[in-house]
Every structure is written in C-alpha cells, then in structure tokens.
Amino acid sequence: QLMSDHFKPGMIPARIGTERDRLIHRITGVSDPYAENKRRSNALALKLLPKVEEFISNFKPGYERFRKACIASIVGNTIEFDVPGHIFIPEKLVELVQKTMLVVDRTPEIYELLQRSKSVLFLTDNAGEIAFDTILVKEIRQLGPKVTVAVKSSPMLDDALLSDAYKVGMEKVADKIVTTGSNSVGLFLEEASKEFRKYWQASELILAKGMGYYETLTEINLEKPTANLLTAKCNPVAQSVSVERESSLALLL
C-alpha cells in the first residue's frame, strides 16, 4: 500500500526508501536490521585504515594530498550492502585508494572553497566508510576551516550513527559531531532538528557523502557551495551524471 501511494512520477527515490524502511522497522519491531553489517564494516575499515593513512602521508600537505584523501573517502563509499549489482571486495579497497581515478573531478574548486571557508558541515553516509572519512576531515581542518560532522540520529539502512563515529575515532579529528535529527535516507530539511539546521545555516560549505545526499540535495535550492563525494553504485544516479556505473565522483552541486 505504501509503494502504491508513493511510487509515482516526481517522487524522490530516497523518500520512498526512507518510508519503506521506516515501515519495515515498525512492522517487524527490529530497530536496526543492519547492526551486524555495520559492526563488520567498521571492523574492516579500521583494519585497513592504517595502510590508507600511510599511503596518504606519502604526499606533501596541499592540494594533491587533499585530493588523495577525497579519493580514499570516495572508495570508502563502496562499502555498501543491498545495492543490486554492486559488489565490493574488501581485500581490494587499499589498492582502489591507490589506483582510483575520478571520472568527474571538481576537487580543485572544492579545495579553493575550503581555503576560503571558516566552517564546513560534513554529512557522512555509511558505517565503515566513516573511518575513511576521518582522513579527509583531518585534511580539511589543516586547510583552516572548523568541521562539524553530522550522522543520522537513529538507524536507517547502514548509515552511520553517533556510535559509529566514535567507534572510528571521528571525535579526535572533527571539531564537533552532531546528528541530523532524522534517520532519512539523504536529507529532508523539514525533518532535521533545530540544532542541525543551525549548523546548516552557519556553514560556509557543505560536503556530503554518498548517493542518498545526491538524490535529495539536487532537489532543493542550495544557497551555498555544496560538494558531493560518491561512487555511482546504481544506474539511475550514474545516468543522471552521464557516467558509467561504479564511477568515482567529486561533484559540486
């Protein structure tokens, strides 16, 4: 019945996904069906993190090191469950960080924007992936801005929560960690908490991870520079950017 009501032209896929999973949670009584997947993702990412950090440290501080940190964060976005046709091979993640090329690369502009910004709001995506995000957050802070990292307030798919952020040590590199006040796929500002909207308004640049934020942020009038780092893991997202599926993207929306 929910799909019959919502599946119509103009509906944002992330909204359908959000309402679908909220309904599943209510019917089954299972609040976090991805809990074990998230635990394994965090453990895997933390195991690989030292090797990725070592690779990034080989580059001198500056643009090229920032760009490599972006790539590491984007490769982390491949850690995803239940996207039809998408398969990630844990053993190849470090190699991917070393060899991945950005099909759309707006990192030069993002780098310049960061140098001029005093405050950045970093919107995380999945558990596991958030460990790789710590590298990028650290690099952003070295460029000058204060970084507020936002996670979801309660379970939705394998999206990162506060517990995941602390599990990977995000509090050691970010200036502040907050929640969006919602568990939606991506972001619907009307659902967000007053505290989150305060950071949204105060930030000079938004940096969002993943396809959920791509689906939702492209549907609103963005009043400030907004970067989106992601792997295009499904055909509709890839087609909307005119790239091949599984492409690595650093976008300015």
Side-chain angles (χ1 to χ4, degrees):
Q1 181 62 49
L2 181 139
M3 295 301 287
S4 176
D5 291 342
H6 285 77
F7 203 88
K8 58 189 68 175
M11 176 58 73
I12 302 170
R15 171 61 76 186
I16 299 175
T18 296
E19 298 306 327
R20 174 203 62 203
D21 277 58
R22 286 174 177 169
L23 180 63
I24 291 170
H25 292 184
R26 290 197 299 272
I27 291 174
T28 64
V30 179
S31 63
D32 193 359
Y34 284 78
E36 178 57 21
N37 283 343
K38 290 192 289 185
R39 186 196 66 76
R40 289 192 290 114
S41 294
N42 285 332
L44 166 68
L46 287 171
K47 181 180 179 180
L48 299 174
L49 189 61
K51 293 181 181 179
V52 178
E53 288 177 323
E54 181 182 1
F55 172 71
I56 299 294
S57 69
N58 290 327
F59 297 86
K60 293 181 180 179
Y63 166 69
E64 194 56 35
R65 183 157 157 174
F66 164 76
R67 184 174 177 276
K68 292 298 183 183
C70 286
I71 289 173
S73 183
I74 292 168
V75 168
N77 191 234
T78 64
I79 303 174
E80 182 91 69
F81 298 93
D82 291 351
V83 176
H86 170 71
I87 300 173
F88 74 93
I89 303 173
E91 293 77 15
K92 290 192 174 182
L93 286 177
V94 176
E95 181 183 347
L96 280 174
V97 172
Q98 296 169 344
K99 295 183 177 180
T100 289
M101 302 295 291
L102 298 175
V103 177
V104 178
D105 186 359
R106 303 294 298 277
T107 57
E109 297 104 308
I110 297 169
Y111 183 77
E112 290 183 12
L113 286 166
L114 285 168
Q115 288 182 306
R116 300 199 301 265
S117 299
K118 294 182 180 179
S119 56
V120 174
L121 180 61
F122 191 105
L123 308 178
T124 64
D125 191 12
N126 302 324
E129 170 184 350
I130 194 173
F132 293 88
D133 292 337
T134 61
I135 299 172
L136 181 54
V137 170
K138 188 185 302 182
E139 291 300 316
I140 292 172
R141 285 190 68 197
Q142 289 181 355
L143 295 175
K146 290 187 175 182
V147 182
T148 299
V149 171
V151 297
K152 299 299 167 59
S153 61
S154 58
M156 174 57 66
L157 300 174
D158 53 345
D159 284 7
L161 305 175
L162 280 173
S163 56
D164 301 301
Y166 284 103
K167 179 70 175 178
V168 302
M170 183 63 80
E171 79 282 0
K172 298 174 184 176
V173 295
D175 291 282
K176 191 173 184 64
I177 304 175
V178 299
T179 77
T180 61
S182 167
N183 71 341
S184 67
V185 176
L187 177 67
F188 298 99
L189 278 172
E190 67 273 15
E191 290 190 1
S193 66
K194 185 180 294 185
E195 180 192 22
F196 174 82
R197 289 199 298 269
K198 178 182 71 175
Y199 288 105
W200 174 270
Q201 293 294 336
S203 297
E204 296 177 46
L205 184 142
I206 309 294
L207 198 158
K209 290 293 306 294
M211 295 193 302
Y213 282 116
Y214 175 79
E215 291 180 15
T216 52
L217 295 180
T218 49
E219 296 293 326
I220 63 177
N221 181 27
L222 295 167
E223 298 176 348
K224 63 188 72 183
T226 304
N228 188 201
L229 306 181
L230 71 155
T231 301
K233 289 165 286 194
C234 72
N235 286 327
V237 167
Q239 290 166 4
S240 74
V241 192
S242 300
V243 299
E244 296 292 324
R245 184 170 171 167
E246 301 294 337
S247 294
S248 298
L249 311 172
L251 307 175
L252 270 174
L253 304 181

